[in-house]
């Protein structure tokens, strides 16, 4: 892990981001001594809230991060409101030109799509949003992580951890990725076997959809205040 | 999920907390409409940094949270420096008297131990710290999650997600816990099978220990500045 080229990882943050979407990849990538993470948004120093009481501080504005090596776009209830945010979309297009890897978690891939980066490519997102990828010319794939050249998209929320570990193996090596996985004791033992719609069955799928719909409406109401 | 008693979840935060330790449980618990999470520390409104560039804002001070229903104590490089922090240890003792559940992730259990809450009990923590639990009269157990009455301790970093899903089943019901698991698409597919010392083998264990030692020294040097 020593003597490697320094890498700047830019994590996009915004109002309504889901914390785990980016904290999973953050803690994985931050493990590497040659990685420096910047949390990028419109205003450096500003606090951005999720749909609860969690806040994350932007450490840089878009113009301060013109050439990140790795871009991570998390998802959350807030992505929908950003589909027309030209500053964000233009920044994504620009940084993708020179990035080593451009990645997303959950609905973050819809932002990559809106920026025109997924046209003709396979991609994934949260299971409940897969169909929307076609709006951007992407081919939806039900998979935990989808890699197409330097674009890597991950499924919903917790999938960012799996994606980031694969990314560490790419930018460093397998031994380092394994060392990270052990250090964060990532030996998952979910109490139930229902992490995908197929495993969970229609009753739980329906409950989850209703909940996410209610949360989205609540967030939209809050935004319009 | 409707009509349930409102529950206050207090997550302890501090300088040097590991982000994923508490964001896992946070995103799981925050899913419940009847849960309100407060991030508690010495000073409400203050930003607390991890060992990288991540910050979390305290939403309440200790005296503002005298009776949380659930207490979550995350770990991180910062816990070692808190072993003699009387305000924190006394707050933990006090809130444990009335809590429904008092929980920890990673080295957070050592703080529960220092507060005298683990005496004679089985408990777990990060695999690299298990032996230290005996300092507090606890019996170390190699397990993902250990429950002893209303005290629940989880293994390292990522284990907080598994712990919190079990907790949701306890404070709500299994269907709700499954709904949360599906909503966050927690269908883990780690790229390697090395999340525990036994699976990873001695070479990776040794690398992980060296890395954590270096990080600890770096954090201690930063604290003493």
């Amino acid at each position: 892990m020593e003597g490697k080229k320094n890498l700047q990882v830019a994590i996009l943050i915004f109002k309504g981001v889901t914390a785990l979407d980016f904290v999973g990849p953050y803690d994985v990538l931050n493990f590497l001594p040659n990685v420096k993470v910047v949390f990028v948004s419109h205003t450096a120093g500003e606090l951005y809230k999720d749909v609860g009481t969690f806040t994350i501080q932007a450490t840089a504005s878009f113009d301060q991060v013109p050439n990140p090596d790795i871009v991570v776009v998390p998802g959350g209830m807030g992505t929908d409101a950003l589909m027309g945010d030209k500053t964000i979309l233009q920044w994504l297009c620009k940084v993708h030109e020179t990035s080593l890897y451009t990645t997303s978690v959950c609905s973050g891939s819809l932002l990559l799509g809106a920026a025109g980066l997924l046209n003709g490519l396979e991609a994934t997102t949260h299971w409940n949003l897969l169909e929307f990828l076609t709006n951007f010319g992407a081919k939806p794939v039900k998979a935990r992580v989808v890699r197409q050249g330097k674009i890597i998209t991950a499924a919903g929320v917790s999938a960012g951890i799996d994606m980031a570990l694969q990314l560490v193996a790419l930018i460093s090596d397998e031994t380092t990725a394994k060392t990270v996985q052990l250090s964060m004791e990532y030996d998952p033992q979910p109490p139930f076997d229902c992490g995908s719609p197929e495993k969970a069955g229609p009753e739980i799928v329906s409950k989850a959809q209703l909940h996410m719909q209610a949360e989205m409406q609540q967030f939209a109401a809050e935004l319009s205040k």
Side-chain angles (χ1 to χ4, degrees), chain A:
Chain A
M1 282 180 282
E2 302 305 323
K4 296 250 171 81
K5 179 184 173 290
N6 287 333
L7 295 174
Q8 186 186 47
V9 173
I11 298 181
L12 177 72
I13 56 169
F14 47 87
K15 187 174 165 57
V17 67
T18 295
L20 187 53
D21 279 30
F22 72 86
V23 167
Y26 167 76
D27 259 352
V28 169
L29 293 164
N30 193 46
F31 182 90
L32 304 181
N34 60 320
V35 157
K36 176 84 184 279
V37 178
V38 285
F39 294 101
V40 191
S41 202
H42 286 286
T43 312
E46 192 159 320
L47 296 178
Y48 290 86
K49 218 167 80 60
D50 72 342
V51 293
T53 53
F54 171 94
T55 52
I56 174 74
Q57 186 178 38
T59 60
S61 60
F62 294 115
D63 54 355
Q64 290 172 332
V65 187
N67 296 113
D69 300 288
I70 292 161
V71 182
V72 179
V73 182
M77 294 296 159
T79 50
D80 205 40
L82 303 179
M83 291 296 158
D85 187 320
K86 282 188 182 160
T87 308
I88 289 182
L89 301 182
Q90 282 171 1
W91 180 79
L92 286 174
C93 280
K94 189 86 189 83
V95 293
H96 180 60
E97 286 175 16
T98 51
S99 72
L100 287 175
Y101 291 98
T102 302
T103 74
S104 67
V105 180
C106 202
S107 60
S109 60
L110 302 181
L111 282 176
L112 293 185
L117 305 183
L118 299 181
N119 201 19
L121 299 181
E122 295 187 344
T124 196
T125 185
H126 191 283
W127 57 264
N128 198 38
L129 302 169
L130 273 169
E131 63 188 292
F132 295 106
L133 282 168
T134 58
N135 294 349
F136 310 109
K139 299 171 203 160
V141 177
K142 274 189 195 182
R144 192 78 178 152
V145 177
V146 174
R147 183 177 162 209
Q148 295 266 280
K150 71 176 195 177
I151 294 192
I152 311 177
T153 53
V157 193
S158 59
I161 300 173
D162 298 329
M163 184 276 284
L165 285 169
Q166 291 190 27
L167 186 55
V168 169
L170 290 169
I171 60 174
S172 195
D173 52 64
E174 278 204 8
T175 299
T176 303
K178 287 178 178 174
T179 306
V180 181
Q181 189 178 330
L182 176 61
S183 298
M184 60 196 294
E185 207 160 348
Y186 187 47
D187 184 28
Q189 293 169 32
F192 309 104
D193 188 23
C194 61
S196 72
E198 294 72 25
K199 292 173 180 173
E203 187 202 335
I204 303 287
V205 166
S206 166
K207 280 181 192 294
Q209 284 173 325
L210 276 175
H211 177 86
M212 289 184 280
Q213 203 179 345
E215 203 171 52
M216 191 67 211
Q217 282 166 355
Q218 196 184 322
F219 180 72
E222 209 178 289
L223 268 190
S224 69
K225 265 180 204 165

